[in-house]
């Protein structure tokens, strides 16, 4: 099946899986996680080379199972041995609880990886050039606006692809936190038109229609060609630049491929993965937060 559709094709790339309330997961294959610590000494040079800030998420203590027959995922924490421990804050919003995970050491950063909402290529299976959000995707992103401030992000780093930019502007529309584009936060699979950024002129016109669009910074820097040879090295650059950031709490609006490459975990549209980033560049996933809009849908549909 198409690599852009809602179904999961054969092979390692599966960014379209839908959330499943329970198992089973027949014919599952396990993907062991791994983490590669980036050299902290290279962080400053990477940041200077990029000209803007970037994001990353890499973590080791989880594995992922994927069902070939049901196109569904289960993520299990190796440290806790329970899927529900990883996603323990899944319904925090409806219960009025704090979304944040445990207290972190002062030298460890808290990173929030927000996957974009459903986009045109997710819904249609077609390679839509620099795809925008669907109506459902805009609802998913907007559902975060009343809650996302509770994460306490000091800056939001945003992929320059339009679906990520739109998600960030909708989710953070009521916040005053800076919004910065970061080219290296773009999706992998650069050969696809959906993952090729628009020109600065097209993106600036697009931003005029969005809440806080006029506040989005680093447009020219994020859309300037770089010497990064491939998507794999681009994602690794995110890690190094993020380590070099001075902020202690950073939100990143990005993509399935970026999150999966660095965490070996699945993220549905508009999920947020809350992580701890060590000074050496290693990530630990603390919690996975579903969009409040998705939770409301589950409740209304009788899933919970």
């Amino acid at each position: 099946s198409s690599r852009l559709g809602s179904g999961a094709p054969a092979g390692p790339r599966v960014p379209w899986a839908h959330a499943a309330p329970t198992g089973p997961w027949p014919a599952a294959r396990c993907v062991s996680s791994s983490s590669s610590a980036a050299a902290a000494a290279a962080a400053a040079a990477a940041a200077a080379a990029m000209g803007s800030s970037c994001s990353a998420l890499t973590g080791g203590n989880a594995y992922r199972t994927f069902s070939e027959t049901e196109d569904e995922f289960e993520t299990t924490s190796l440290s806790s041995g329970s899927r529900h421990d990883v996603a323990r804050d899944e319904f925090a919003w409806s219960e009025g609880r704090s979304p944040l995970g445990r207290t972190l050491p002062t030298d460890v950063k808290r990173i929030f990886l927000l996957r974009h909402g459903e986009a045109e290529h997710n819904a249609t299976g077609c390679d839509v050039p620099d795809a925008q959000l669907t109506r459902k995707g805009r609802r998913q992103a907007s559902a975060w606006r009343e809650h996302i401030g509770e994460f306490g992000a000091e800056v939001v780093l945003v992929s320059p692809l339009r679906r990520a930019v739109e998600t960030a502007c909708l989710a953070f529309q009521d916040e005053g936190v800076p919004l910065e584009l970061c080219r290296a936060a773009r999706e992998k699979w650069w050969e696809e038109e959906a993952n090729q950024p628009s020109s600065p002129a097209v993106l600036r016109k697009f931003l005029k229609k969005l809440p806080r669009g006029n506040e989005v910074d680093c447009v020219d820097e994020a859309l300037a060609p770089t010497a990064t040879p491939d998507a794999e090295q681009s994602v690794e650059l995110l890690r190094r630049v993020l380590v070099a950031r001075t902020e202690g709490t950073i939100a990143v609006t990005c993509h399935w491929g970026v999150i999966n490459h660095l965490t070996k975990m699945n993220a549905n549209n508009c999920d947020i993965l809350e992580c701890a980033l060590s000074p050496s560049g290693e990530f630990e996933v603390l919690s996975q937060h579903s969009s409040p809009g998705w939770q409301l849908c589950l409740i209304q549909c009788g899933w919970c």
Side-chain angles (χ1 to χ4, degrees), residues 208-231:
K208 290 180 179 179
K209 304 184 298 182
L210 300 178
R212 298 193 62 200
N214 63 330
E215 301 177 37
V216 175
D217 201 5
C218 302
V219 173
D220 292 327
E221 295 90 336
L223 295 177
T226 69
T228 306
D230 57 44

Side-chain angles (χ1 to χ4, degrees), residues 4-297:
L4 298 169
S6 58
R13 181 190 179 198
V14 195
W16 325 273
H18 299 289
T22 60
W25 289 267
R29 65 172 183 266
C30 292
V31 183
S32 298
S33 67
S34 62
S35 60
S36 57
M50 283 298 298
S52 66
S53 49
C54 301
S55 66
L57 177 63
T58 297
N61 299 326
Y63 69 84
R64 182 170 62 95
T65 59
F66 169 59
S67 166
E68 298 278 6
T69 57
E70 296 191 3
D71 295 347
E72 294 170 353
F73 282 84
E74 178 178 13
T75 300
T76 302
S77 168
L78 296 181
S79 58
S80 66
S82 169
R83 175 177 185 266
H84 299 290
D85 286 345
V86 173
R88 63 185 178 277
D89 292 315
E90 189 172 13
F91 296 99
W93 311 113
S94 60
E95 296 176 5
R97 295 186 285 109
S98 170
L100 298 181
R102 68 175 186 268
T103 301
L104 300 177
T106 56
D107 63 343
V108 175
K109 296 180 181 180
R110 195 181 299 270
I111 310 299
F112 295 96
L113 267 287
L114 168 60
R115 186 190 172 194
H116 63 80
E118 182 189 79
E120 297 165 319
H121 68 309
N122 299 135
T124 66
C126 299
D127 190 5
V128 180
D130 197 5
Q132 302 179 44
L133 295 184
T134 63
R135 182 179 179 183
K136 176 181 177 181
R138 291 191 293 271
R139 290 199 305 266
Q140 291 171 329
S142 296
W144 275 117
R145 63 184 294 189
E146 295 182 6
H147 307 288
I148 207 157
E150 298 179 37
F151 291 122
E154 300 168 62
V155 66
V156 184
L157 311 180
V158 187
S159 159
L161 295 173
R162 288 190 295 184
R163 57 192 183 272
V165 173
E166 191 172 5
T167 297
C169 287
L170 292 173
F172 289 91
Q173 60 185 291
D174 297 329
E175 306 300 319
V177 60
L179 304 173
E180 300 180 12
L181 296 191
C182 176
R183 184 179 183 88
R186 62 187 283 201
E187 181 60 293
K188 297 167 61 178
W189 304 285
W190 293 354
E191 71 278 6
E192 295 176 5
E193 291 189 72
N195 300 328
Q196 289 293 326
S198 299
S199 68
V202 170
L203 185 58
R204 290 187 189 280
K205 183 177 180 181
F206 181 67
L207 286 169
K208 290 180 179 179
K209 304 184 298 182
L210 300 178
R212 298 193 62 200
N214 63 330
E215 301 177 37
V216 175
D217 201 5
C218 302
V219 173
D220 292 327
E221 295 90 336
L223 295 177
T226 69
T228 306
D230 57 44
E232 303 292 317
Q233 294 188 39
S234 176
V235 175
E236 286 302 315
L237 179 60
L238 297 179
R239 186 203 317 271
R240 300 195 299 271
V241 174
L242 189 55
V243 168
R245 296 287 304 198
T246 59
E247 298 88 354
T249 304
I250 302 172
V252 184
T253 308
C254 54
H255 306 268
W256 187 95
V258 174
I259 295 171
N260 180 260
H261 174 96
L262 293 169
T263 68
K264 304 298 186 259
M265 293 183 69
N266 180 50
N268 295 296
N269 290 123
C270 264
D271 275 3
I272 292 179
L273 270 67
E274 178 184 350
C275 306
L277 171 63
S278 73
S280 64
E282 295 188 11
F283 282 75
E284 178 187 356
V285 178
L286 304 176
S287 297
Q288 186 161 355
H289 307 273
S290 299
S291 167
W294 173 244
Q295 294 168 16
L296 180 60
C297 177

